[in-house]
Amino acid sequence: MSALEKKRRAAAAALRRLEENTPIGVGTGSTVNCFIDALAAHPVRVRAVASSEATSARLAAAGIAVIDLNEVSELTLYVDGADQATRRRHLIKGGGGALTREKIVAEAAREFVCILDDTKVVDTLGSFPLPIEVIPMARNLVARRLARFGGRAVWRQGCVTDNGNHILDVHGLAIADPPTLESALNQIPGVVTVGLFAERPADVLLVGTDQGVVEI
Ligand code: 5RP
């Protein structure tokens, strides 16, 4: 079975967690696009806060009401993908560059459901380069500070985030203690968002496999 088919399976499983007419958050990426397509065909109506301009456009095109996060106090559910995940539900996110708004929307959600295919579940995070959104003027400074953590930061050239910032992809980190590293990297001036989602991990992983969907 292809990775896309596994993503579709995971996305379809997330539909069961929807509650009628409640505000939800919707993440960014190809797995989330499967979720949006399935949501458009689903009878339960929801309003959605988007984690990126791309998702906002896709939701609107699918006829799903897009709302501003400032209009609601809590989201019942946040559905998003990930680049890597552990069984403790710590994540690396930001491969699509939307990590800052994704982290904001995840924080606002009662339940964060992460949908992914089984190739992304790992014992230790870090073989996927860790995305970090930075203020453009601080890019090289942050890259030098990241070297102290053993990481080699590569500027994702040509990528400007929805917030007008740059992305560094950090190679060579073996992330043994995700919450502690997330907290430490957040202290570097110029860092906007670290693509580790560990201090606020996912609540549930829905993992698409050849055999079906595994819930962690
Ligand atoms: C975007 C993300 C995505 O969730 C992550 O990159 C996974 O993407 P895909 O579903 O396309 O594999 O964090 O910033």
Side-chain angles (χ1 to χ4, degrees):
M1 176 178 284
S2 69
L4 181 62
E5 198 46 47
K6 292 179 190 176
K7 288 178 183 190
R8 285 205 186 105
R9 281 187 165 179
L15 293 174
R16 290 187 214 113
R17 309 181 103 87
L18 293 173
E19 294 170 33
E20 181 68 35
N21 204 26
T22 57
I24 67 166
V26 180
T28 298
S30 59
T31 317
V32 165
N33 287 344
C34 296
F35 175 73
I36 295 171
D37 294 347
L39 184 59
H42 196 265
V44 170
R45 293 296 94 195
V46 293
R47 294 164 288 139
V49 172
S51 72
S52 65
E53 299 298 333
T55 288
S56 185
R58 195 167 177 118
L59 286 166
I64 297 160
V66 179
I67 56 170
D68 189 298
L69 182 59
N70 292 303
E71 292 174 28
V72 291
S73 55
E74 189 186 58
L75 303 169
T76 52
L77 179 68
Y78 177 48
V79 179
D80 199 358
D83 299 300
Q84 279 191 331
T86 67
R87 293 184 169 278
R88 301 185 73 176
R89 292 169 277 102
H90 297 144
L91 313 174
I92 285 183
K93 291 186 47 54
L99 61 164
T100 295
R101 296 188 190 187
E102 289 173 341
K103 200 170 263 197
I104 292 167
V105 181
E107 179 66 22
R110 205 162 67 203
E111 184 180 45
F112 175 6
V113 174
C114 182
I115 52 176
L116 67 170
D117 69 80
D118 56 1
T119 62
K120 294 176 170 179
V121 180
V122 295
D123 292 331
T124 306
L125 298 174
S127 54
F128 188 95
L130 176 66
I132 298 187
E133 181 165 348
V134 298
I135 299 288
M137 72 167 284
R139 194 182 63 237
N140 287 342
L141 169 72
V142 174
R144 287 193 296 276
R145 293 294 175 268
L146 288 167
R148 295 180 181 172
F149 291 84
R152 184 174 56 82
V154 177
W155 176 24
R156 198 184 295 179
Q157 294 206 38
C159 172
V160 176
T161 69
D162 286 347
N163 315 303
N165 295 318
H166 290 176
I167 301 272
L168 294 172
D169 291 306
V170 189
H171 298 247
L173 296 171
I175 305 173
D177 182 352
T180 301
L181 184 65
E182 181 181 359
S183 179
L185 297 181
N186 272 327
Q187 305 311 312
I188 302 173
V191 166
V192 177
T193 302
V194 177
L196 270 174
F197 285 54
E199 292 187 312
R200 198 282 183 245
D203 298 304
V204 179
L205 305 182
L206 296 177
V207 185
T209 75
D210 285 335
Q211 288 73 37
V213 176
V214 175
E215 184 172 326
I216 299 175

